[in-house]
Amino acid sequence: MAPDLSDAEAKELESHIAVLHGVVCEDKFQKAREDFMARNCQHFSVEDENKLCYTDIHTEFLKMTECYICEQLTMKGIDIQNLMSALSVDDISDRQLDIGTTLDVVNSLTDFSNFKEMMLRAKHNISGRRKALCEETDVKAEKDCSNPE
């Protein structure tokens, strides 16, 4: 059985989770996720059967995410081991700590189903932007061809 948190430890945990929330909401983190999705989303398709390469891509995403978060938390003075220990205490769910939403966001980053859906949305968005760009280029080309100078 894991130990309970003291009031001071609970306040410190809430503070650390607030920092974690800030890290996962940073533009730099969001950009890294978007870049990763753009590089890898073409491998994903809407099928019930998952391809073997999905596992490798998901593992790479998890490593990238974990490294980024740990690096940022460490740079902000948070001891990762202490944070993990504090998150494993028995009374964490009994307390009215303001950490649930942030932990849900972090946990959703690790869930494969969420990951696959995120990749499929990225693929759809990228193909939509390419299609729009092609249509825009076609319209411009038509205008250029119909109005020779």
Side-chain angles (χ1 to χ4, degrees):
M1 187 163 132
D4 290 343
L5 286 176
S6 69
D7 288 341
E9 290 169 327
K11 287 198 181 303
E12 181 179 47
L13 177 59
E14 282 184 312
S15 170
H16 290 349
I17 296 299
V19 173
L20 173 62
H21 181 82
V23 167
V24 298
C25 292
E26 287 175 350
D27 289 342
K28 186 177 174 184
F29 179 68
Q30 297 304 319
K31 174 83 168 101
R33 285 182 55 216
E34 290 169 10
D35 291 348
F36 182 90
M37 289 185 289
R39 283 191 316 272
N40 294 285
C41 67
Q42 75 277 3
H43 299 288
F44 288 77
S45 59
V46 182
E47 298 172 7
D48 289 337
E49 191 76 26
N50 290 323
K51 298 176 186 176
L52 185 59
C53 70
Y54 295 179
T55 302
D56 295 336
I57 295 169
H58 185 237
T59 301
E60 183 181 344
F61 176 76
L62 291 175
K63 286 180 184 174
M64 179 203 74
T65 301
E66 183 179 341
C67 286
Y68 181 86
I69 291 172
C70 287
E71 178 182 286
Q72 293 301 308
L73 291 177
T74 301
M75 285 176 35
K76 295 174 188 308
I78 295 175
D79 183 302
I80 302 301
Q81 294 304 319
N82 288 347
L83 177 60
M84 297 307 291
S85 294
L87 289 171
S88 68
V89 299
D90 284 339
D91 74 338
I92 196 167
S93 60
D94 297 335
R95 291 177 173 264
Q96 296 299 321
L97 300 180
D98 187 24
I99 62 175
T101 304
T102 300
L103 294 181
D104 289 344
V105 168
V106 172
N107 282 332
S108 74
L109 294 173
T110 65
D111 181 76
F112 179 78
S113 296
N114 288 342
F115 173 75
K116 182 179 178 185
E117 198 166 306
M118 179 178 71
M119 295 302 275
L120 290 171
R121 275 195 311 271
K123 182 177 183 178
H124 176 76
N125 290 342
I126 288 171
S127 65
R129 283 194 301 264
R130 285 184 186 146
K131 183 178 178 186
L133 182 60
C134 288
E135 289 171 356
E136 185 179 303
T137 303
D138 289 345
V139 168
K140 185 178 181 329
E142 284 179 24
K143 285 182 182 177
D144 289 346
C145 290
S146 63
N147 293 327
E149 294 180 16

